[in-house]
């Protein structure tokens, strides 16, 4: 079945980014000239997805507003004869159909995805975390996953290799290699202490899931950190049908973390069509002075 929908959970509290995220959703913090969430939505759009489902919470209305049509702004920009900005702003509201559902309590990523079950229905779907950016030289990360899905027709988690001392920051996959860049998942463990796993395959914020995940999420009890963990439901699913770990081409940035956010700005600014050249020159000067 074709993958038509993408779920983007944005209902988390963003405690790692306080105080900036107290009144502004962390997903709305700017990377060069657009909010983090816009890059994620653009990745989804360029991968051919038709509908986005935001899982939101109180205080996150700025995210929906950003992708909405704003009549007053539209009229003002036309009156002021600013065609480029006008086009840019219009483009954002025309990107894709967006549906929002509420996660009533921040009970974890697994619970956030479960909150979208009635809108997703009985079809495979993508999940992209609202603060996880991937820069790729070739295809968007989602499109790479969709291509693999066409072959395997089973759930996929995007992974990257991490240094052993960082395993405690990720969900780690243990599996057997079945193709280049592809493993069949045998075991998953949420944030294992360094040295307690042989694997360095870390799950990042992109998933392609079969709808069988919903009943498994419903049965999942709170795990690591007292939250309903997607990893626990995925592990249960991997016992019933194949689950693949895919080493995507590209670099991932955790823009929900202060250092990850800074790294993302440096990476995206260097590639920016109008600012990139000047920024790279500035960066060289900064590096030379260090
Ligand atoms: P994070 O763990 O990065 O988000 O979840 P968080 O809980 O907002 O962040 P910290 O750790 O307190 O700083 C990854 C994604 O899942 C969403 C977040 O909004 C983020 O985009 N999420 C997380 C939910 O939608 N609901 C939750 O209950 C938890």
């Amino acid at each position: 079945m074709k993958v038509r929908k993408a779920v983007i959970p944005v209902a988390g509290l963003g405690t790692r980014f306080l105080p900036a995220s107290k009144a502004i959703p962390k997903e709305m913090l700017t990377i060069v000239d657009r909010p983090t969430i816009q890059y994620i939505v653009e990745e989804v759009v360029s991968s051919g997805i038709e509908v986005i489902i935001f899982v939101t919470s109180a205080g996150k209305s700025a995210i929906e507003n950003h992708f909405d049509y704003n009549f007053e702004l539209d009229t003002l920009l036309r009156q002021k004869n600013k065609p480029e900005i006008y086009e840019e702003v219009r483009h954002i509201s025309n990107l894709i159909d967006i549906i929002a559902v509420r996660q009533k309590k921040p009970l974890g990523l697994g619970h956030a995805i479960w909150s979208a079950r009635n809108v997703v229905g009985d079809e495979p779907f993508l999940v992209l975390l609202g603060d996880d950016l991937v820069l790729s030289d070739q295809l968007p990360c989602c499109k790479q996953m969709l291509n693999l899905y066409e072959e395997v027709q089973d759930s996929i988690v995007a992974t990257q290799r991490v240094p052993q001392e960082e395993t405690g920051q990720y969900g780690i996959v243990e599996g057997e290699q079945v193709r280049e860049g592809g493993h069949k998942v045998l075991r998953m463990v949420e944030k294992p202490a360094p040295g307690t796993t042989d694997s360095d395959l870390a799950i990042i914020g992109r998933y392609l899931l079969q709808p069988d995940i919903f009943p498994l999420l419903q049965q999942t009890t709170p795990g690591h950190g007292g939250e309903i963990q997607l990893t626990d439901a995925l592990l249960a699913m991997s016992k019933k049908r194949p689950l693949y770990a895919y080493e995507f081409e590209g670099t991932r940035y955790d823009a929900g973390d202060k250092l990850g956010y800074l790294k993302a700005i440096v990476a995206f600014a260097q590639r920016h069509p109008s600012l990139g050249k000047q920024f790279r020159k500035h960066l060289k000067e900064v590096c030379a002075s260090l």
Side-chain angles (χ1 to χ4, degrees):
M1 192 187 259
K2 186 171 185 267
V3 182
R4 300 185 309 121
K5 297 175 180 171
V7 174
I8 307 183
V10 292
L13 297 173
T15 52
R16 285 172 297 152
F17 228 124
L18 284 168
S21 55
K22 188 175 172 217
I24 300 167
K26 64 176 171 179
E27 297 84 0
M28 286 301 293
L29 296 176
T30 312
I31 307 275
V32 190
D33 58 359
R34 60 196 63 184
T36 301
I37 191 73
Q38 189 176 330
Y39 292 98
I40 293 168
V41 166
E42 283 171 352
E43 178 183 332
V44 168
V45 173
S46 61
S47 300
I49 294 294
E50 295 164 20
V51 179
I52 284 178
I53 302 150
F54 281 141
V55 182
T56 73
S57 58
K60 299 274 180 155
S61 52
I63 298 176
E64 283 168 74
N65 292 344
H66 181 72
F67 295 98
D68 199 0
Y69 174 67
N70 183 328
F71 176 76
E72 288 81 10
L73 183 61
D74 192 278
T75 312
L76 191 85
L77 290 173
R78 252 183 303 161
Q79 280 167 356
K80 291 203 176 265
N81 199 16
K82 300 205 164 179
E84 274 158 35
I85 309 175
Y86 169 79
E87 283 305 330
E88 175 79 32
V89 170
R90 270 220 117 155
H91 161 75
I92 298 167
S93 59
N94 287 332
L95 275 170
I96 192 167
D97 280 346
I98 290 179
I99 299 169
V101 297
R102 282 281 177 122
Q103 183 188 19
K104 307 271 166 22
K105 279 187 188 167
L107 297 178
L109 175 61
H111 181 259
I113 294 168
W114 180 79
S115 305
R117 68 201 177 285
N118 290 326
V119 188
V120 171
D122 194 21
E123 48 183 292
F125 61 103
L126 279 164
V127 174
L128 294 91
L129 301 192
D131 54 2
D132 237 57
L133 292 166
V134 177
L135 253 183
S136 166
D137 284 327
Q138 291 161 30
L139 293 175
C141 182
C142 279
K143 184 66 186 154
Q144 296 176 42
M145 295 172 77
L146 288 165
N147 287 349
L148 176 61
Y149 179 76
E150 277 185 21
E151 279 178 47
V152 299
Q153 298 284 315
D154 266 305
S155 298
I156 302 165
V157 294
T159 54
Q160 68 176 10
R161 295 200 181 266
V162 295
Q164 268 294 335
E165 60 272 21
E166 289 179 17
T167 56
Q169 299 167 29
Y170 297 90
I172 299 289
V173 165
E174 294 172 1
E176 59 172 339
Q177 185 149 14
V178 287
R179 53 184 292 143
E180 199 189 330
H183 285 73
K184 201 160 155 193
V185 176
L186 299 175
R187 224 168 77 84
M188 296 170 98
V189 40
E190 191 57 38
K191 304 189 169 66
T196 58
T197 172
D198 290 337
S199 173
D200 59 354
L201 273 181
I203 303 173
I204 63 120
R206 302 278 185 281
Y207 308 81
L208 199 162
L209 302 175
Q210 290 287 359
D212 323 27
I213 197 73
F214 291 122
L216 295 170
L217 284 169
Q218 173 128 24
Q219 289 158 22
T220 303
T221 47
H224 187 92
E227 296 193 338
I228 296 179
Q229 297 287 350
L230 174 61
T231 317
D232 292 340
L234 282 171
L235 183 59
M237 192 160 77
S238 71
K239 305 227 156 91
K240 298 181 177 196
R241 61 187 297 173
L243 169 67
Y244 293 91
Y246 172 62
E247 278 180 71
F248 61 96
E249 181 281 314
T251 310
R252 172 257 187 181
Y253 298 92
D254 180 2
D257 165 81
K258 289 174 187 171
L259 185 60
Y261 176 75
L262 289 175
K263 289 179 183 173
I265 292 179
V266 172
F268 280 76
Q270 288 186 71
R271 292 176 169 227
H272 192 275
S274 58
L275 298 170
K277 200 172 164 200
Q278 278 168 279
F279 183 72
R280 287 195 300 274
K281 183 170 172 278
H282 172 69
L283 205 55
K284 276 186 195 149
E285 286 162 13
V286 172
C287 290
S289 72
L290 288 177

